[in-house]
Amino acid sequence: MPRSGRPTTAIAVLAAMTALATACTGQSGASPDDDPKAQVTLNFWHGWSAPGEVKAIEENIARFEQAHPNIKVQVTADMTDDKINQALRAGGGKAPDVVSSFTTDSVGKFCNSGAFADLNPFLRKSGVDKTQVFPKTLLQYTQYNGNQCTLPLLSDAYGLVYDKSAFAAAGITEPPRTWSQFTEDAQKLTVARGDTYDRLGVMPTFHGYETKPTRLAAQWGGTYFDARGKSNLAGDPAFAKMLAAQKDLVDKLGGYEKLEKYRASFGDEWSAEHPLHTGKVAMQIDGEWRPAMAKEAGVTFEIGTAPLPVPDDQAADYGKGYVSGTVMGISAAGRKQNAAWELVKYMTTDTDAVVAFANAIHNVPSTLEALASPKLQVTPEFKTFIDIARHPKSSSTPAQADGGTYQLTFEDFAYGVEKGAVADVPAGLARTDAQIDTDIAKAK
């Protein structure tokens, strides 16, 4: 299961990370003076739970232990952020030394609070040039204010997944590259029936699974914060333009109320009853996991993938997208930091380890060498997401001291816009900026 499919809600995750940050502040007195060649056992906690994912982790750990016979790794799977928080607060020998977290948005809190150790000294000591190992976008979301307190452990790229049979029936010969083409194709693919639909071209509302404001803002190239670190939603026209384009698509496909009524008939995002699987939608904004999940669900049509469309005036940038992923860090309170670094270094920078893990759980590799490795299993559908991850203008949401709270604030505003409840979008964005700045100042 992809990271964003975890059952913990975004708000609950952020609340847990707030508690984690508070609990760990001031506990970073441990120093990396342990001998990494001594016999030691590390506690490694991660969030994966599906049998195939757990097996893939165990296989990677087995290869690590073979290469580092003095280090044993005690692996604990299916660990939520609540459980991690409680363990780090309690401390002691059973607390995790190394943590893998799905909550990329909380990196700012990890770094700002001192919950995780800064990995820059470890990188320098090992002679690892992070700028030559990791794509630029992944480095941006794994550090905060120069503190590289986490490193990327695989990534997710977001694009367009579609029903090729529906495209052919509608006379569409290729996926849309610009937003105007996307809007036109979505209308062509929509089959209305009274106050509902037999099929919808795409579910454009922001409650529609992975159709999030942050995904679309990446296509417009919005800059969330200005040079002073202040929220920039009103200052950068990209955000207002994105919201206007999305609202226009909502209106052209039947309006918010009609679309939301139809959305209520959708199956769970992570089940075989996903609306793309069942033919209720012809296109879906989604990640690299969707084609494989659709095939596992037994779809009878051919799956196509493509980058998300870009604004018409940015056609030359087609191919970019939103990128996020899992992060890995070391407890700042741990007494085995040098040994812990050996595990983090192996899992995040060793090309064969990264490729093997990516192949096993069908996620995008997180190093430049792994992305280009001949050992990487690449189907035509998967290659789309590899290319998005490598695109120089792909982007992510920047780390902040309040974690992902600023994103939720923006998302709440976007909900109001698509409903038609916001009369003055520029003024609303300015108010949203003020709220974001207040929240971040409090977090700092």
Side-chain angles (χ1 to χ4, degrees), residues 7-31:
T8 309
T9 66
I11 293 175
V13 167
L14 291 171
M17 289 298 95
T18 299
L20 172 59
T22 302
C24 293
T25 300
Q27 294 185 13
S28 58
S31 60

Side-chain angles (χ1 to χ4, degrees), residues 9 29-30 46 93 110 114 132 137 139 151 176 178 183 212 216 233 242 246 305 307 344 350 352 369 385 400 410 443:
T9 66
H46 68 80
F110 285 138
Q132 300 299 310
T137 302
L139 283 178
L151 288 177
T178 65
T183 301
K212 300 294 184 183
L216 297 188
L233 301 180
M242 179 277 288
Q246 187 265 354
T305 61
V344 171
D350 184 277
D352 286 343
E369 285 192 4
F385 299 96
Q400 275 295 341
F410 175 41

Side-chain angles (χ1 to χ4, degrees), residues 1 5 209 265-275 277 290 293:
M1 184 183 294
Y209 301 142
S265 71
F266 289 0
D268 182 81
E269 181 176 5
W270 312 110
S271 74
E273 299 305 309
H274 185 285
H277 304 170
R290 182 56 54 192
M293 292 186 75

